[in-house]
Structures are given as structure tokens and as C-alpha cells.
Amino acid sequence: VRRDAHDGAAAVLARRPPALSSLAVGSISGYHIAEAGANPISQLAFTLANGFTYVEAYLARGMKIDDFAPNLSFFFSNGMDPEYSVLGRVARRIWAVAMRERYGAAERSQKLKYHIQTSGRSLHAQEMNFNDIRTTLQALIAIYDNCNSLHTNAFDEAVTTPSADSVRRAMAIQLIINREWGLAKNENPLQGSFIVEELTDLVEEAVLAEFERLSDRGGVLGAMETGYQRGKIQDESMLYEMRKHDGSLPIIGVNTFRNGDEQPPEHKLELARGTEEEKRSQLDRLRAFHERNRSEGPAQLARLREVAMSDGNAFEVLMEAARHCSLGQITDALFEAGGQYRRNV
């Protein structure tokens, strides 16, 4: 039996809210979760759960909900799956209900704002010009779903840093939808659509079910300890890749309706690659940095390892360590303290 749209969210969150991390945030990101392979349900559920985790952390420090909640924002990916069409609707509904019913937040704090970036994972090197079509559709549903801001990917991001020409084309997608496409000039053009309303309820129900699974594992931090989120994302990514390779997920020009003529691209692709001179320059600067910080670096790394192993505030120590240690040195120190993740498959 489907939960009532509002009472269901309030009941689940009031019963066992997902909890928590204590980093300061401006934007709570789910884009990297989707790019790593998560499906839209997992992206939305994990991101919102992280958001509620931050809320709980700030409240535990004695802050008032309306002093910080209006400053929180979210960052999602829009892909090709139908669930993306209602991503914003579901996020706004769950956030508003939780802010009002659980935290007693004011109206402004109940209003979730979010940014959409079109899906980088949906871009392909084969038939690269088709990527703009995918990006256009993803941008269209983002605008129909009333996102607060939007980033459209360039068609050549599948293989390189975007060129000036491809960036202009990506920007034109947004401009044409907003300035030329008539239906986008109306507010909530999909409101009342049966499929949109049905998808909204189904996606919300699925997200609330994922909240339950997180709560059963001790909340966000408890689930992280067992690698739950990472494992789920990897499983969903593997399924996506398998379906792409066996053709059960049709991708035009990649695994179906392929170009049998193997014609060369219409124009030469501009690849952004570092020159040998630039590479040598970077290595020289790195060696010089190590030399300048030879006396300070080891102490900073030792302090970082100590804090990481004692479950202290590693972020504070990282801020100082970054002044004297390179990224490679910091990464090696953290590997020494906590090991390097290797999943058993």
C-alpha cells in the first residue's frame, strides 16, 4: 500500500531519521554519486540522507534550524531514466515535509533549492554529435521540473576538456529552451500529467524505502562503515555497464543503430592535452615545493596520520597540511592510517 505523500515522509523521518556527518556545507552533492554509477533513486536518497545528516549535526552543536537551513542547497545529475523527470519534485516534497514536521522549520527553510547538471556518464565517444541530443532532453526535463540553476555538458566532454565551440553549443541548448521553446515559458508545464504524478509518488516511495535501509544500518555514518552506499553504487554501475554491453539498454550509435560506414567525424576534434614542456614544468614545481617544505612536511604528515587514526577533526589538520605537503604525500599518509579500499567482488 502506498504511503500518503506527506504523512509517509514525515512518519519515516520522525521514526528513524538518517544521521550524520559534521562537515560544513553550502551545496550537498549527489552528482558524483550518479556519475559513479548510481541510479536516480539511489542518487536522490543518498543525497537527501546526507542533507538530513548535516542538519542533525548542526542542531547537535546548538544551532537553530532557521539559522542555517535556508543556506543549504543541493546538486543533482539529470540522466535519461524516467525517474529524473520528477527528481526535483520528490526532493522538494520530502525536504519540505521533514523541515516542517520534524524540525519545526519556518517556510523559508522548507524550500529546497537545487542545481542540475546534465549527465556526463550519458555522453559517449561513439557518434559524439548525438550527445547534444541527450543533453537537450536532460536540460528540458530539468527546466520543466523548475530547477534553480542548470549546467549543460558539452558534447565532447566524453573525451576531452570542452572546446570554446562545444561550450557555446551547450549554452545554446539552455538559451533555445528558455527563449524559443514555447512550453518552457509556462510555469509547471507538466503539472497534472498522470505519468508525472504517478512517477512522483513511486519515486518518493522508493526514496523513503532507501531511508529505511540506511536507518537499519545505523544511519548514514553507520552505513558508510559497512560500505553500504559504495557497494550499492558499484552494483548499480555494473548493471548499467552490463546492459549497455549486452544491448538490453539501447544507446543509439553505441550499441544499436550504429554507423556501418564508419565515417570520419564531420570536423576535427580539438583535444586538450598537456605538452611535454608543461609536464616537466609541473614536476619541477612539485620537486621545488617538496624541497621548500622538507622541514615542515614530515611533522604535518605525522599529525595527519595521528588525527585520522584517533577519529579527530582531519579536515582542520588537512587545511594546514596542504600548505606544506603535496596531494600525493597527503594521500599516502591517509592510506597508511586507514588502508586503501579494495572491494571483494
Side-chain angles (χ1 to χ4, degrees), residues 127-145:
E127 301 275 10
M128 201 177 306
N129 288 332
F130 291 2
N131 288 336
D132 275 346
I133 302 171
R134 299 182 178 98
T135 296
T136 299
L137 294 171
Q138 293 161 11
L140 188 66
I141 61 172
I143 290 170
Y144 279 5
D145 205 19

Side-chain angles (χ1 to χ4, degrees), residues 36-278:
N39 66 34
I41 300 296
S42 294
Q43 178 199 184
L44 182 54
F46 291 163
T47 308
L48 287 176
N50 289 344
F52 290 124
T53 291
Y54 294 131
V55 169
E56 294 282 353
Y58 293 143
L59 292 175
R61 294 184 177 191
M63 298 179 69
K64 296 180 180 178
I65 186 70
D66 293 322
D67 288 342
F68 64 85
N71 297 324
L72 300 177
S73 62
F74 290 82
F75 176 16
F76 298 116
S77 169
N78 254 20
M80 302 297 288
D81 301 288
E83 293 87 351
Y84 287 112
S85 302
V86 299
L87 200 77
R89 289 165 60 97
V90 174
R92 288 191 295 265
R93 179 188 286 183
I94 292 176
W95 186 258
V97 171
M99 287 294 107
R100 184 184 69 241
E101 302 296 334
R102 175 165 180 80
Y103 301 109
E107 181 180 349
R108 179 65 185 85
S109 299
Q110 298 170 25
K111 295 178 179 179
L112 178 142
K113 55 183 179 289
Y114 71 102
H115 171 80
I116 285 289
Q117 180 174 342
T118 58
S119 171
R121 188 178 61 154
S122 69
L123 305 182
H124 303 281
Q126 303 95 326
E127 301 275 10
M128 201 177 306
N129 288 332
F130 291 2
N131 288 336
D132 275 346
I133 302 171
R134 299 182 178 98
T135 296
T136 299
L137 294 171
Q138 293 161 11
L140 188 66
I141 61 172
I143 290 170
Y144 279 5
D145 205 19
N146 297 298
C147 66
N148 296 93
S149 60
L150 174 64
H151 170 106
T152 38
N153 287 331
F155 76 96
D156 53 358
E157 287 189 53
V159 296
T160 186
T161 302
S163 66
D165 177 60
S166 67
V167 168
R168 180 168 173 78
R169 288 174 60 175
M171 182 181 295
I173 291 172
Q174 293 195 45
L175 292 173
I176 291 170
I177 292 174
N178 279 309
R179 302 297 180 90
E180 295 186 34
W181 184 244
L183 194 58
K185 297 177 182 178
N186 297 277
E187 188 173 351
N188 296 328
L190 299 183
Q191 185 169 308
S193 162
F194 171 81
I195 185 59
V196 170
E197 299 295 337
E198 183 75 1
L199 269 175
T200 301
D201 291 340
L202 290 171
V203 171
E204 182 192 25
E205 185 176 9
V207 169
L208 296 180
E210 187 59 59
F211 281 2
E212 289 280 18
R213 288 189 284 271
L214 288 171
S215 294
D216 289 342
R217 290 163 173 81
V220 168
L221 285 186
M224 286 174 61
E225 289 294 327
T226 62
Y228 173 72
Q229 294 98 321
R230 182 193 292 265
K232 198 167 193 298
I233 291 168
Q234 288 179 331
D235 288 343
E236 290 168 1
S237 178
M238 186 181 300
L239 177 62
Y240 171 83
E241 293 298 329
M242 287 175 59
R243 294 191 64 208
K244 184 170 71 172
H245 286 290
D246 68 21
S248 59
L249 177 66
I251 301 176
I252 307 305
V254 177
N255 61 15
T256 186
F257 294 101
R258 299 176 62 180
N259 186 350
D261 297 335
E262 298 295 336
Q263 296 175 348
E266 297 176 4
H267 56 273
K268 185 177 180 181
L269 189 64
E270 182 180 332
L271 297 178
R273 297 290 186 267
T275 64
E276 283 300 317
E277 182 180 358
E278 290 170 335

Side-chain angles (χ1 to χ4, degrees), residues 251-318:
I251 301 176
I252 307 305
V254 177
N255 61 15
T256 186
F257 294 101
R258 299 176 62 180
N259 186 350
D261 297 335
E262 298 295 336
Q263 296 175 348
E266 297 176 4
H267 56 273
K268 185 177 180 181
L269 189 64
E270 182 180 332
L271 297 178
R273 297 290 186 267
T275 64
E276 283 300 317
E277 182 180 358
E278 290 170 335
K279 295 175 185 176
R280 286 196 299 271
S281 175
Q282 177 61 25
L283 291 172
D284 290 341
R285 290 199 301 273
L286 180 62
R287 280 191 288 268
F289 178 80
H290 285 165
E291 184 64 28
R292 288 196 307 272
N293 293 279
R294 178 181 294 180
S295 59
E296 289 283 346
Q300 292 292 335
L301 293 173
R303 174 64 178 150
L304 179 60
R305 283 191 292 268
E306 177 187 346
V307 171
M309 295 179 71
S310 63
D311 199 26
N313 187 351
F315 188 78
E316 181 181 8
V317 180
L318 272 171

